[in-house]
Amino acid sequence: MVGIAVSAIPEGLPVVMTIALAIGVQRMAARYAIVRNLPAVETLGAVSVICSDKTGTLTRNEMSVRAVVLPGASFDIDGEGYAPQGRFSLKGEETEPALHPQLLHFATGAALCNDAHVRHAEGKVWAVEGDPMEGALVTLAARAGLDVDQLRQDWHRLDEVPFDAVHRYMATLHRPLAAAPVVFVKGAPEQVLAMCRDQQGAEGVQALDVAYWLEQIDALAAKGYRVLGLASGVPADGKDSVDMADVKDLSLLGVLGMIDPPRDSAKTAVRECRSAGIAVKMITGDHAATAAAIARELALADTIRVTSGHELDGLNDAQLIDVARASTVFARTSPEHKLRLVQALQADRSVIAMTGDGVNDAPALKRADIGVAMGITGTAAAKEAAGMVLADDNFATIVAAVKEGRTVYENLRKVIAWTLPTNGGQAIVIVVAILLGLSLPVTPVQILWVNLVTAVALGLTLAFEPPEATLMQRKPRSPDEQLLQPYLLWRVALVSVLFALGCFGMFEWSLRRGDSVELARTIVVNALVIMEIFYLFSVRYTQGTSLSLRGVLGTPAVLLGVAGVTLVQLLFTYTAPMQALFDSRPVDLEAGLLAIGLGVALLLLLEVEKFLVRWMRLGVRA
């Protein structure tokens, strides 16, 4: 009974599986994906939908103002990054900003209704301290020739209404030198437009042309620009404070379009997602046309369908499920929309990864199968609610983590597929020998040696396996998929029987040539270890053949594991202390070569079996 227990129980399996998960966490951390708990690694491997923010995740988060539209005039702006040098063009002709007071007043408001600073960092690179979008507005003012620091001193800020995703604007109250207080408001262009009663033209106040501005907003958004509106007003009774009730009856100064180009790495990552059967959905607070333009550039889907937050508000839960599946982009959304979208997408058992960075994103991150918080811009609440934190805020890092999650899952299956048959074969040997009244081909202590020393050392190498070439060309696995699938169970049964036959065959061959039982058992132990080594090379590739140069050469971990097992097995066989402990005997060359031949035969037979299984699967699909 002891022999059966020792042979049947895979003592090293829990250790190896835990190490495999830990290795996955370490690999992800090296790719700037910090996983907060081990089970999240397995969840990442099953992700079927990634809901991602746009700004800074799919895009570079390097804003630059490219167009300013004023009443009666439209300017194009060129410039690199956040450097204050740039060129302004009016109707295709370069012009000086100083010639256009209307433009300077617009740039003044953009710089004042703003909390960012642009500094000259090390290496003569201009960098933003604060929100990149606000940094782009500071840069616009600097390119227009304004001294932003002096401007902020001359226009002392008295009060502010901070930006909020609900009201979608920011307002600041300033007192210029020897003048009455002025309110500047910037925000979503539709929202700012709705709060205005007139517009500031070159000759003074004009009637608000709503149709003109809506046309200009759509035109800028269609180019992929993020659009902001800017307005000004005078507080009632010269107040030195401002609240939301005061932000009304404004005068529109104009709108601007800024670009945040997609990351090159995000384009590659999206292609990889699509080949892996993973849907990517963009959730953003930007204008629908802006988001759609970026989605087309990233090729998120063949057909880009955009749904606005306003449209989501009009859907019940059942309707939302269909819209969430069909839509690629969700524009003008709030954190509350994120939560509803996660719930809708999970209705068909899809595994959802959701990104977020704000405090209000925490419920959606918590509800998602794997919440992904931004490490650079994310709040502590978002990071606490998430299962993974991106140290670089990069969409490609999410995809790399998903790939690593798939790799870990595949490696776990390989560990199981390698461990269970080796134990199963040993158990069959013990049970059959007992039932037939035969001498045990291996003793319990020898089985324990194989399980704890050689099996752990070899099985552990599978935890270091790199991803197979076709890994990201497979569809996501079902969240209900069992680790022990029918094919794996068949493989366990087949290999267990082959191991048992090999052990009995070597034991009988040794006894028939006149060897002692002790020597015969030593030959069986060596044959068992050799079969495990050759089976290790077979199980490394679940979707392809192991009979390739890459398959034969193995990985450094595999080669090190094989070398280590070979060394300890030689000690087991030929050193006196080990012989006394395990009752082993020196093995001659003939027996050693026969055991190696048995391992080669096992490898070839299993490769034929893999080929036939692949052929039958292709036949079924056809």
Side-chain angles (χ1 to χ4, degrees):
M1 294 302 295
V2 174
I4 296 175
V6 172
S7 62
I9 298 173
E11 297 90 346
L13 187 57
V15 175
V16 174
M17 294 185 71
T18 303
I19 292 174
L21 288 170
I23 291 170
V25 170
Q26 186 180 38
R27 285 176 173 173
M28 290 181 188
R31 296 291 300 270
Y32 303 105
I34 302 167
V35 178
R36 300 183 66 243
N37 54 74
L38 285 181
V41 177
E42 185 180 350
T43 304
L44 278 164
V47 165
S48 54
V49 180
I50 300 176
C51 298
S52 175
D53 295 321
K54 178 181 75 70
T55 303
T57 306
L58 289 167
T59 60
R60 297 177 186 172
N61 207 19
E62 294 178 356
M63 294 286 190
S64 181
V65 177
R66 288 287 180 259
V68 172
V69 180
L70 307 175
S74 296
F75 295 86
D76 296 318
I77 302 100
D78 291 326
E80 292 294 329
Y82 296 105
Q85 296 79 26
R87 295 180 301 173
F88 287 74
S89 299
L90 179 63
K91 296 180 180 180
E93 298 291 332
E94 188 171 343
T95 185
E96 288 297 324
L99 301 176
H100 307 277
Q102 189 182 2
L103 174 62
L104 294 180
H105 186 56
F106 181 92
T108 297
L112 293 175
C113 189
N114 199 314
D115 291 323
H117 298 271
V118 177
R119 307 293 188 197
H120 215 175
E122 294 181 9
K124 298 183 179 180
V125 175
W126 291 87
V128 176
E129 296 176 3
D131 187 283
M133 181 270 293
E134 292 195 331
L137 302 184
V138 173
T139 300
L140 170 68
R143 287 173 179 168
L146 299 177
D147 185 334
V148 176
D149 291 334
Q150 186 62 47
L151 194 68
R152 289 174 171 175
Q153 290 182 22
D154 295 341
W155 291 66
H156 177 63
R157 181 183 294 190
L158 301 174
D159 200 6
E160 67 178 273
V161 176
F163 177 83
D164 184 88
V166 176
H167 57 252
R168 297 189 296 154
Y169 68 82
M170 173 184 180
T172 54
L173 177 64
H174 303 267
R175 183 185 296 278
L177 295 175
V182 176
V183 175
F184 286 107
V185 178
K186 76 168 189 297
E190 309 96 320
Q191 182 67 27
V192 173
L193 189 61
M195 296 187 293
C196 292
R197 66 178 179 184
D198 53 45
Q199 62 190 42
Q200 284 287 335
E203 304 300 326
V205 177
Q206 303 172 349
L208 184 65
D209 188 345
V210 176
Y212 168 79
W213 290 111
L214 291 176
E215 180 182 343
Q216 294 300 316
I217 292 167
D218 288 341
L220 291 173
K223 296 178 181 179
Y225 291 158
R226 183 176 185 180
V227 187
L228 286 180
L230 186 66
S232 65
V234 178
D237 303 324
K239 290 171 57 179
D240 286 347
S241 62
V242 64
D243 55 36
M244 294 180 64
D246 299 318
V247 185
K248 60 183 180 180
D249 298 332
L250 304 174
S251 185
L252 186 66
L253 301 181
V255 297
L256 60 86
M258 61 179 68
I259 190 168
D260 181 15
R263 296 177 185 259
D264 293 334
S265 60
K267 296 178 183 179
T268 304
V270 168
R271 286 197 300 270
E272 195 169 14
C273 281
R274 295 187 65 181
S275 70
I278 300 172
V280 180
K281 297 183 183 293
M282 179 194 297
I283 302 178
T284 178
D286 280 353
H287 190 280
T290 302
I294 296 295
R296 281 190 290 270
E297 188 171 352
L298 288 167
L300 293 188
D302 294 331
T303 302
I304 304 297
R305 175 176 172 177
V306 183
T307 301
S308 70
H310 178 71
E311 292 172 313
L312 293 178
D313 290 334
L315 301 175
N316 59 38
D317 291 343
Q319 294 170 326
L320 181 60
I321 291 173
D322 294 330
V323 172
R325 290 174 185 162
S327 299
T328 312
V329 175
F330 301 93
R332 291 298 190 218
T333 57
S334 66
E336 291 75 18
H337 291 136
K338 281 188 173 183
L339 180 58
R340 289 193 68 202
L341 287 170
V342 169
Q343 294 169 331
L345 291 169
Q346 287 175 327
D348 63 353
R349 300 286 292 152
S350 293
V351 179
I352 313 300
M354 170 68 76
T355 68
D357 55 10
V359 172
N360 294 334
D361 289 332
L365 294 176
K366 198 74 174 178
R367 177 58 191 254
D369 296 279
I370 180 74
V372 182
M374 302 298 108
I376 299 174
T377 60
T379 61
K383 295 174 185 177
E384 184 64 28
M388 183 175 76
V389 178
L390 301 184
D392 59 356
D393 292 10
N394 191 341
F395 177 80
T397 303
I398 304 175
V399 181
V402 170
K403 184 176 182 179
E404 192 58 48
R406 288 190 175 192
T407 302
V408 169
Y409 185 80
E410 284 298 307
N411 289 349
L412 289 176
R413 291 183 61 187
K414 292 173 184 178
V415 169
I416 293 172
W418 184 87
T419 304
L420 294 187
T422 58
N423 285 88
Q426 296 165 18
I428 292 174
V429 168
I430 298 297
V431 171
V432 171
I434 291 175
L435 292 177
L436 297 181
L438 305 175
S439 298
L440 292 179
V442 284
T443 65
V445 71
Q446 289 172 340
I447 291 175
L448 191 61
W449 162 264
V450 173
N451 285 355
L452 289 182
V453 180
T454 61
V456 172
L458 290 176
L460 186 58
T461 64
L462 293 172
F464 294 89
E465 281 294 293
E468 294 185 35
T470 60
L471 183 68
M472 292 300 282
Q473 296 170 14
R474 308 172 198 167
K475 300 300 180 184
R477 74 175 190 274
S478 168
D480 300 321
E481 179 182 298
Q482 299 295 319
L483 198 57
L484 289 175
Q485 292 182 296
Y487 173 66
L488 183 54
L489 292 174
W490 151 255
R491 206 43 157 23
V492 169
L494 173 64
V495 179
S496 295
V497 170
L498 293 177
F499 266 69
L501 291 176
C503 290
F504 273 119
M506 291 299 294
F507 187 66
E508 187 64 23
W509 172 82
S510 179
L511 292 178
R512 287 192 176 186
R513 71 170 188 166
D515 294 338
S516 65
V517 172
E518 291 77 17
L519 176 57
R521 286 172 174 166
T522 305
I523 291 173
V524 169
V525 171
N526 281 279
L528 185 59
V529 171
I530 289 171
M531 285 191 291
E532 288 179 353
I533 290 174
F534 278 93
Y535 180 48
L536 178 72
F537 281 88
S538 174
V539 84
R540 289 182 61 229
Y541 295 95
T542 59
Q543 300 289 325
T545 180
S546 301
L547 299 179
S548 63
L549 182 61
R550 181 184 177 188
V552 172
L553 290 178
T555 62
V558 167
L559 297 179
L560 184 61
V562 170
V565 166
T566 302
L567 176 61
V568 297
Q569 198 59 31
L570 290 173
L571 296 175
F572 170 90
T573 306
Y574 297 106
T575 61
M578 300 293 276
Q579 289 173 355
L581 184 60
F582 292 101
D583 202 19
S584 58
R585 299 292 185 271
V587 175
D588 58 280
L589 181 60
E590 180 186 11
L593 292 176
L594 183 60
I596 293 174
L598 184 64
V600 172
L602 175 70
L603 174 62
L604 295 177
L605 181 61
L606 292 177
E607 289 303 300
V608 171
E609 180 262 349
K610 281 199 289 187
F611 172 78
L612 292 175
V613 169
R614 289 197 304 272
W615 178 74
M616 287 189 292
R617 285 176 175 172
L618 289 174
V620 170
R621 290 173 187 169

